[in-house]
């Protein structure tokens, strides 16, 4: 028996990664004229896009990434909440 929901999971994962990559690309392009908030948005969503794109790229290439790349990915993931906080604070009105 077919499991239609389970069959859509890879497509949903790919759509999520593509969405964050697009948000990161737009944020990076607008960072030059966006002021402080634009720069923090670019760094925040850029780091998340790198984390999310690492695994699909590894699977597509079929190679095991070097240890330093894994460490950098983990560090970016750990830094994401701080970057998100800095982005939010740059919008103003943050206590």
């Amino acid at each position: 028996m077919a499991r239609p929901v389970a069959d859509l999971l890879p497509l949903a994962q790919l759509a999520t990664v593509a969405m964050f990559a697009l948000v990161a690309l737009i944020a990076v392009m607008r960072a030059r004229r966006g002021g402080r908030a634009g720069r923090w948005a670019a760094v925040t969503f850029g780091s998340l896009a790198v984390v999310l794109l690492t695994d699909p790229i590894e699977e597509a290439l079929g190679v095991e990434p070097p240890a330093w790349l894994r460490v950098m990915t983990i560090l970016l993931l750990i830094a994401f909440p701080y970057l998100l906080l800095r982005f939010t604070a740059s919008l103003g009105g943050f206590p």
Side-chain angles (χ1 to χ4, degrees), residues 3-93:
R3 297 179 358 190
V5 175
D7 294 339
L8 292 177
L9 184 60
L11 182 61
Q13 290 172 334
L14 183 62
T16 302
V17 170
M19 179 190 65
F20 277 110
L22 181 63
V23 169
L25 181 64
I26 292 170
V28 168
M29 289 182 353
R30 300 188 83 184
R32 286 178 280 173
R33 61 176 180 237
R36 189 172 150 206
R39 288 189 297 274
W40 278 113
V43 172
T44 301
F45 292 108
S47 70
L48 187 59
V50 168
V51 168
L52 292 176
L53 285 172
T54 302
D55 192 48
I57 291 173
E58 291 171 9
E59 288 179 7
L61 295 177
V63 296
E64 187 68 26
W68 64 267
L69 182 60
R70 291 238 184 244
V71 170
M72 292 304 295
T73 303
I74 292 169
L75 289 175
L76 284 173
L77 186 61
I78 291 170
F80 179 74
Y82 171 76
L83 296 172
L84 189 60
L85 177 68
R86 296 307 309 158
F87 167 61
T88 305
S90 70
L91 297 174

